[in-house]
């Protein structure tokens, strides 16, 4: 459906008809002006001419919308080229509006760099010689990618620290808008658009007008009206109705449909895979995704660009968001806080195939007063066992880990590898285990707690136990996590990179990057690592929201990803390893406090008696 309210309708001169009526030759100046008009009116031809890229009709419409409106939002299904279209828009905007300063930002610096890298790739491709000539000096620093073009620039920046407040731009491109905190958008990003790009020219015109008014040559009503050329582009797939993306989508849509004429103009595009040209979408992928049901909420969001309320899964995403701290400590941590205790859960996997499950870890900070845990650090990765052992050493060295729980399938291999690694220098540094039946009940459970209390010892690192994933544990641990989310007894840390003071605090901590950044991600910087920690907290919640509960005819309960997601062999397939680590860690919170509160058994020694 295409909708344009009357307030936006206006008579537009058909440039192509005008060109067709031209006869004879033109002076060079007129020829340049005519060519510019033609290229601006036919951006599909322009794009193909200067870059060799042929646009689909819907892409041309969306790019025109972005170029002609102050606020634009693209809510598109997966594979419908949000970032691609934004990349084309960036260089066209700079070409047709000299001096344009574009700022590209996203929830992570990698997200922002993606659009910048697209532009770079387009300009260096065969057939893009004209486009490449438009660009000037280029710089790539750890925290800023910048490229000059036609008197302006295109910059990609991370959203953290004090530095971002110093930027000014008249076009703001925000990728993955749904992951950007509302306060960051309003208080940090929107002020970028305050200063107009031609402020010097405007001041000169106002000075001349003041002189003319003083002489009585013109009146106040005759002053020039400067058009609002600032633009904000929001790119996203659909999200949940309680998130800021949907609130912004509703707000902009109402402004479009209302009769009120506003100074700023709005454009919203919402497009499902069903509206895309057939040759742009892989039918096999769609069929695979639809196996979970065309009404499956993740399919509706990812492919149909429809917003859902987020309460239809076993673990409610809405409630998990309510359990997420906002700009308060603890935030995601790269080092434990002094005086705090932490617990560690590990879901090991040693397969390094690109499509394999991840090796996942979760660290929770203990709130000893409320007997609760706050997820403050996550790990998920592929690669050899050595990479995981290095990261385990990093966690044990930087957090006061008082207890560990490990999936029994792989626990022995992991601990043997760690204890015999270069990081363990003495016997007292080795991680030792105790046996614990954590699903025992009543008196049996009390006996287990007393037994563990006698073996548990932080000084000699007897702090770990292996958990067997039997049906009773799976049911009870998942029910406990669901209940703790529902009643706010488990928490998720604040973002570090979304808060200036948290980011600055973390950026002053020196950590061994060779331990935390694997070989496969050598190009990562410290900022990338911080952003990944924030992302893993979000991904943990997202994985939980994907989990489906089912019961077989024999009464066995299952907590799994939808079948269509389980069957995928793609390296980018949905996984649930961080969810599993969270289930383990949340269960360990209960176990730890139960063990600690058990009174130690007093040993009064041997008392001899006489028998006669």
């Amino acid at each position: 459906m295409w909708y344009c309210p009357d307030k936006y309708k206006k008579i537009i001169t058909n440039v192509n008809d005008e060109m067709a009526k031209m006869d004879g030759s033109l002076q060079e100046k007129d020829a340049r002006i005519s060519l510019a008009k033609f290229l601006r009116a036919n951006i599909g031809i322009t794009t193909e001419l200067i870059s060799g890229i042929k646009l689909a009709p819907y892409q041309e419409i969306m790019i025109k919308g972005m170029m002609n409106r102050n606020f634009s939002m693209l809510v598109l299904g997966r594979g419908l080229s949000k970032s691609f279209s934004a990349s084309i828009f960036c260089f066209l905007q700079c070409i047709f509006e000299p001096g344009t300063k574009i700022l590209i930002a996203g929830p992570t610096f990698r997200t922002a760099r993606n659009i910048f890298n697209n532009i770079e790739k387009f300009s260096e491709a065969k057939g893009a010689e004209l486009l490449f000539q438009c660009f000037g000096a280029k710089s790539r620093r750890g925290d800023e990618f910048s490229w000059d073009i036609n008197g302006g620039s295109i910059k990609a920046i991370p959203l953290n620290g004090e530095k971002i407040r110093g930027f000014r731009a008249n076009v703001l491109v925000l990728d993955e808008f749904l992951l950007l905190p509302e306060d960051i958008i309003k208080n940090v990003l929107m002020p970028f658009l305050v200063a107009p790009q031609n402020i010097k020219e405007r001041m000169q015109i106002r000075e001349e007008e003041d002189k003319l008014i003083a002489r009585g040559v013109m009146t106040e009503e005759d002053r020039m009206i400067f058009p609002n050329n600032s633009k904000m582009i929001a790119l996203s797939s659909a999200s949940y109705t309680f998130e800021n993306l949907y609130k912004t989508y509703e707000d902009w849509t109402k402004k479009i449909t209302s009769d009120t004429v506003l100074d700023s103009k709005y454009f919203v595009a919402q497009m499902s895979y069903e509206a895309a040209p057939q040759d742009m979408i892989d039918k096999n992928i769609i069929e695979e995704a639809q196996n979970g049901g065309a009404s499956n909420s993740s399919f509706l969001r990812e492919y149909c660009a429809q917003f859902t309320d987020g309460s239809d899964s076993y673990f409610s995403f809405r409630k998990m968001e309510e359990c997420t701290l906002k700009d308060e400590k603890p935030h995601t941590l790269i080092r434990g806080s002094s005086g705090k205790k932490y617990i560690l859960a590990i879901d090991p996997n040693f397969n390094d195939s690109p499509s394999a499950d991840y090796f996942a870890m979760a660290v929770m900070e203990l709130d000893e007063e409320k007997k609760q845990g706050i997820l403050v650090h996550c790990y998920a990765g592929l690669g050899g066992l050595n990479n995981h052992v290095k990261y385990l050493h990093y966690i044990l060295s930087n957090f006061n880990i008082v207890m560990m729980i490990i999936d029994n399938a792989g626990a022995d291999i992991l601990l043997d590898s760690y204890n015999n690694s270069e990081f363990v220098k003495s016997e007292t540094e080795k991680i030792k285990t105790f046996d614990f039946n954590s699903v025992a009940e009543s008196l049996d459970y009390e006996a287990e707690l007393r037994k563990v209390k006698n073996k548990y010892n932080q000084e000699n690192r007897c702090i770990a136990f292996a958990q067997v994933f039997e049906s009773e544990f799976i049911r009870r641990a998942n029910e406990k996590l669901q209940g703790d989310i529902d009643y706010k007894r488990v928490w998720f840390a604040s973002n570090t990179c979304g808060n200036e003071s948290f980011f600055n605090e973390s950026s002053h901590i020196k950590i061994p990057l060779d331990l935390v950044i694997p070989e496969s991600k050598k190009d990562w910087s410290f900022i990338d690592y911080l952003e990944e920690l924030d992302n893993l907290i979000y991904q943990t919640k997202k994985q939980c929201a994907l989990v489906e509960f089912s019961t077989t005819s024999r009464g066995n309960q299952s907590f799994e990803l939808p079948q269509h997601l389980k069957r995928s062999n793609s390296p980018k397939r949905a996984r649930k390893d961080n969810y599993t680590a969270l289930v383990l860690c949340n269960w360990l919170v209960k176990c730890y406090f139960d063990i600690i509160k058990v009174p130690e058994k007093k040993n009064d020694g041997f008392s001899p008696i006489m028998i006669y």
Side-chain angles (χ1 to χ4, degrees), residues 382-409:
L382 295 170
L385 178 57
N386 184 52
N387 285 337
H388 310 316
V389 167
K390 283 197 299 184
Y391 205 95
L392 175 58
H393 172 67
Y394 169 76
I395 289 176
L396 292 172
S397 302
N398 287 277
F399 292 86
N400 177 26
I401 302 296
V402 296
M403 194 169 284
M404 295 169 56
I405 184 172
I406 310 171
D407 182 353
N408 185 64

Side-chain angles (χ1 to χ4, degrees), residues 331-336 376-377 394 398-399 496 505-507 509-511 526 529-530 533:
H331 53 90
T332 47
L333 299 177
I334 57 176
R335 179 175 295 168
V376 295
H377 189 99
Y394 169 76
N398 287 277
F399 292 86
T496 294
E505 177 185 315
S506 296
S507 62
I509 299 174
K510 302 298 182 185
I511 63 171
F526 179 71
Y529 174 64
L530 283 182
L533 291 181

Side-chain angles (χ1 to χ4, degrees), residues 150-194:
N150 200 18
S153 63
I154 300 173
K155 293 180 188 288
I157 62 165
L159 287 181
N160 41 55
E162 298 175 357
K163 184 180 176 183
I164 60 173
R165 296 184 184 274
F167 285 105
R168 286 295 175 266
N170 58 298
V171 177
L172 194 57
V173 178
L174 305 178
D175 201 3
E176 297 296 346
F177 187 84
L178 71 93
L179 299 179
L180 295 174
E182 184 176 0
D183 60 322
I184 288 286
I185 295 169
K186 290 183 177 179
N187 301 327
V188 178
L189 296 174
M190 294 294 285
F192 288 165
L193 304 176
V194 170

